Amino acid sequence: MSEPRTTANDRKQSAADADGNTGPTRAPIGTPPPGPRGLPLVDSTLAFARKPLEFLSSMREYGDVARYEAFGREFVVVSDPGLVEEVVVARDDEFWRGEFEHEFGDLLDVEGLFFAEGERWRRQRLLLQNAFTPARIRSYADDMVVEAVRLVENWSDGEVVDIREAMSTLTLRALTRSLFDLELGDGRADRVRRWVHAMGAYSDSEFFGARAVLPTWIPSRAEREYRRATADVEALVEELVAERRGSEADGDDLLSLLATGEYPDGSRPTVEEITDQLQLFLLAGHETTATALTYACWLLAGTEDVWSRLEREVDAVCGDRDPTFADLSDLAVTEAVGREAMRLYPSLPFLQREPHEETVLAGYRIGPGTTVQLNMYGIHRDERWWADPDAFWPGRWVADGEDAEGDERSVLADPDDRPEYAFFPFGGGSRHCIGMRFAMTELQLSLATMVRRVDLERVTESIDPTPKISLDSGPVEMRVRKR
Ligand code: HEM
């Protein structure tokens, strides 16, 4: 029998029960955070819906904890790294993902690890983290390089490519190949690809597009296509699970782990749970990494000196062969490029939490039902922690780097003075990204593989990042020059 999917009400209860967090309600203390109180609700809603990043940045004028109302809800924006750490680490048990965050999972009818709470989340995380140990990541690395080579070898000299589309293809192939042992190109993988595209189109139109503001009861074409593709992927997963369970092979991929593994209590995931989990991993693991790679390529193409420094590093480390897992620790500049791209353009630009019950943060009262937005985008560009915060400057991450010498900016940016949560692209605490090592490995190996073979020139000169499933750049056209 499959476990029934949790409802909005029992999710909150489940998280609270599991953490033993159902004590007596505290007397209200603290004052409400400052914010644009005079602003009519509809104005904040429109300002947030039109330009969410600019809107959140504008909240800084009220302080590191600021309150506003939109979409008929109350929000509190947190722009201080110490307070972010307090919410996700020290006081983790006081918060859950919250209603607002769950609406997105409900729309797509996906729960999986990201949206599970309490004991249900804990047992899933314990099982699934076995697919992300350092040894497992090492075993996926060659597949990542094979897919990056395949992509770049298909480009011709002078061709203009949409890097966002190309990176999305690359990360989807790498993900299905390493985590599900499926090679895109065979008919089954195309079914997965169709489903991922249908999910993107559906969430764009319903959650981030006009239909979010003007809801309608008539299912859109995007919804009908998403439902059709979902039914098809569910049938595919059923086939795959039956095959894996029937085979002698002891696969080390995520799908095999789910099909043949056990929860800590000895029970096994049902086919419905496996489908749900695979859907969630496709959702969480593919656009996020593609986004980071897209911005990295675009930023690199705009800074010739960084690009040549990267080329020098990759040539010195790899010579005339492709990069491997063993090279990662020597590819410091490549890693710095990935980090700097995620600092400027974090794939998930703000994280959201809700307190189980009324609580106090930095002396301010935060009521139940309030969505706390951890302002990653704002903190990553805050001049209190970052010298020249809007500049793409990977040298800030490289100890004794070439451009640290004689660069005035390095004096302003002593990393030892920076709070840990001034940079948190993968979140933190118990709910930190389970795919962090996977993503960093893929970022480094893909960039190093590309840099060995091509230079990229910007055709799209400016971008307008918008938060969707991840921070969408829009199409990013670039001209390929073969090295
Ligand atoms: C550059 C790439 C990536 C970035 C920037 C990123 C970022 C994040 C962040 C910030 C969170 C925490 C969200 C929160 O606390 O509210 C998260 C959670 C998660 N990520 Fe990633 N992610 C990336 C790649 C991946 C990959 C490759 C996978 C899987 C293969 C993955 C799977 C997940 C899952 C399942 C969670 C939920 C974990 C839990 O709640 O226990 N992510 N990610």
Side-chain angles (χ1 to χ4, degrees):
M1 281 288 290
S2 77
E3 283 185 276
R5 199 185 289 272
T6 40
T7 63
N9 276 340
D10 53 35
R11 259 184 225 126
K12 182 176 174 182
Q13 196 54 44
S14 149
D17 289 350
D19 297 321
N21 191 27
T22 49
T25 311
R26 274 168 288 190
I29 37 171
T31 53
R37 258 163 240 288
L39 213 57
L41 181 66
V42 68
D43 284 2
S44 291
T45 305
L46 289 178
F48 184 85
R50 270 197 209 114
K51 292 261 169 210
L53 298 180
E54 284 79 350
F55 180 77
L56 289 190
S57 298
S58 75
M59 285 294 114
R60 274 276 308 281
E61 74 184 75
Y62 301 97
D64 283 332
V65 183
R67 174 193 166 282
Y68 71 96
E69 284 175 30
F71 307 102
R73 292 173 178 277
E74 186 163 326
F75 293 87
V76 167
V77 186
V78 174
S79 303
D80 174 77
L83 293 176
V84 169
E85 185 169 6
E86 209 175 312
V87 171
V88 299
V89 183
R91 296 170 59 190
D92 177 34
D93 57 351
E94 286 182 46
F95 294 87
W96 65 301
R97 283 204 189 284
E99 284 298 333
F100 191 60
E101 187 89 357
H102 275 287
E103 276 176 19
F104 183 62
D106 290 347
L107 174 86
L108 295 175
D109 200 18
V110 171
E111 184 180 89
L113 186 66
F114 196 95
F115 296 106
E117 300 282 353
E119 198 45 49
R120 197 179 165 87
W121 164 78
R122 209 179 306 278
R123 67 192 211 126
Q124 291 181 14
R125 179 113 189 176
L126 280 172
L127 174 64
L128 293 168
Q129 68 195 17
N130 295 320
F132 295 94
T133 59
R136 289 279 153 98
I137 305 292
R138 191 180 310 123
S139 77
Y140 306 143
D142 288 347
D143 281 344
M144 294 173 179
V145 174
V146 166
E147 289 300 348
V149 171
R150 177 175 161 200
L151 181 88
V152 181
E153 293 281 297
N154 265 330
W155 290 341
S156 41
D157 192 39
E159 183 182 349
V160 173
V161 292
D162 178 356
I163 284 289
R164 180 185 63 161
E165 194 56 41
M167 294 303 116
S168 175
T169 304
L170 170 63
T171 57
L172 183 57
R173 282 178 181 161
L175 193 73
T176 51
R177 212 178 142 123
S178 36
L179 285 186
F180 312 147
D181 207 11
L182 273 181
E183 274 189 51
L184 270 190
D186 67 25
R188 288 172 155 183
D190 282 344
R191 287 158 74 186
V192 173
R193 205 225 278 263
R194 258 200 307 279
W195 175 79
V196 171
H197 283 180
M199 175 168 62
Y202 176 49
S203 63
D204 276 4
S205 74
E206 302 289 316
F207 209 73
F208 307 107
R211 286 173 63 97
V213 186
L214 301 168
T216 156
W217 295 111
I218 305 163
S220 63
R221 194 166 151 217
E223 176 170 0
R224 289 195 304 274
E225 276 174 17
Y226 176 62
R227 302 282 169 225
R228 230 189 341 260
T230 302
D232 188 41
V233 139
E234 280 168 3
L236 172 64
V237 173
E238 248 174 77
E239 284 164 39
L240 290 169
V241 170
E243 279 172 23
R244 301 273 160 118
R245 284 188 171 161
S247 100
E248 296 293 302
D250 181 19
D252 62 1
D253 56 288
L254 186 85
L255 176 58
S256 301
L257 192 75
L258 283 161
T260 58
E262 288 178 354
Y263 289 126
D265 64 6
S267 67
R268 291 173 82 182
T270 63
V271 170
E272 289 85 347
E273 284 174 286
I274 297 173
T275 315
D276 191 51
Q277 219 57 266
L278 295 191
Q279 288 179 309
L280 186 273
F281 274 85
L282 285 164
L283 175 70
H286 131 256
E287 285 295 352
T288 41
T289 319
T291 299
L293 277 168
T294 302
Y295 289 111
C297 289
W298 189 77
L299 289 161
L300 274 172
T303 39
E304 219 172 288
D305 54 328
V306 180
W307 189 289
S308 38
R309 197 172 160 197
L310 185 59
E311 273 178 358
R312 283 202 300 283
E313 174 178 272
V314 174
D315 288 347
V317 173
C318 302
D320 58 3
R321 58 167 179 78
D322 281 311
T324 64
F325 187 83
D327 296 324
L328 291 181
S329 54
D330 295 322
L331 293 169
V333 176
T334 320
E335 183 183 348
V337 166
R339 289 168 82 89
E340 186 69 346
M342 288 191 291
R343 184 184 68 80
L344 288 171
Y345 298 107
S347 304
L348 303 183
F350 47 91
L351 308 184
Q352 311 199 97
R353 296 289 188 273
E354 199 179 299
H356 291 297
E357 54 188 46
E358 183 165 88
T359 190
V360 172
L361 189 67
Y364 294 116
R365 184 164 68 233
I366 303 193
T370 302
T371 304
V372 177
Q373 294 181 310
L374 308 174
N375 185 5
M376 186 190 295
Y377 184 86
I379 292 174
H380 281 192
R381 288 172 180 253
D382 189 328
E383 65 286 350
R384 288 177 292 179
W385 325 117
W386 305 100
D388 205 355
D390 295 328
F392 175 58
W393 173 31
R396 73 174 88 236
W397 296 102
V398 189
D400 305 322
E402 286 172 33
D403 58 15
E405 230 173 273
D407 190 328
E408 275 179 27
R409 294 178 300 184
S410 55
V411 180
L412 296 167
D414 183 351
D416 293 337
D417 290 345
R418 198 180 293 141
E420 191 177 341
Y421 279 74
F423 181 68
F424 59 112
F426 295 103
S430 63
R431 304 294 302 236
H432 75 271
C433 177
I434 200 171
M436 177 172 79
R437 248 191 241 119
F438 184 102
M440 281 311 295
T441 302
E442 190 176 6
L443 274 181
Q444 273 181 284
L445 291 176
S446 307
L447 284 173
T449 305
M450 274 194 277
V451 160
R452 283 194 62 241
R453 290 177 164 76
V454 293
D455 284 330
L456 294 171
E457 290 167 5
R458 281 186 189 173
V459 173
T460 300
E461 277 303 332
S462 67
I463 50 174
D464 182 17
T466 317
K468 290 193 177 170
I469 288 181
S470 77
L471 186 62
D472 185 21
S473 56
V476 180
E477 289 198 328
M478 303 188 93
R479 180 165 286 105
V480 175
R481 294 284 175 216
K482 291 253 175 173
R483 276 185 81 190

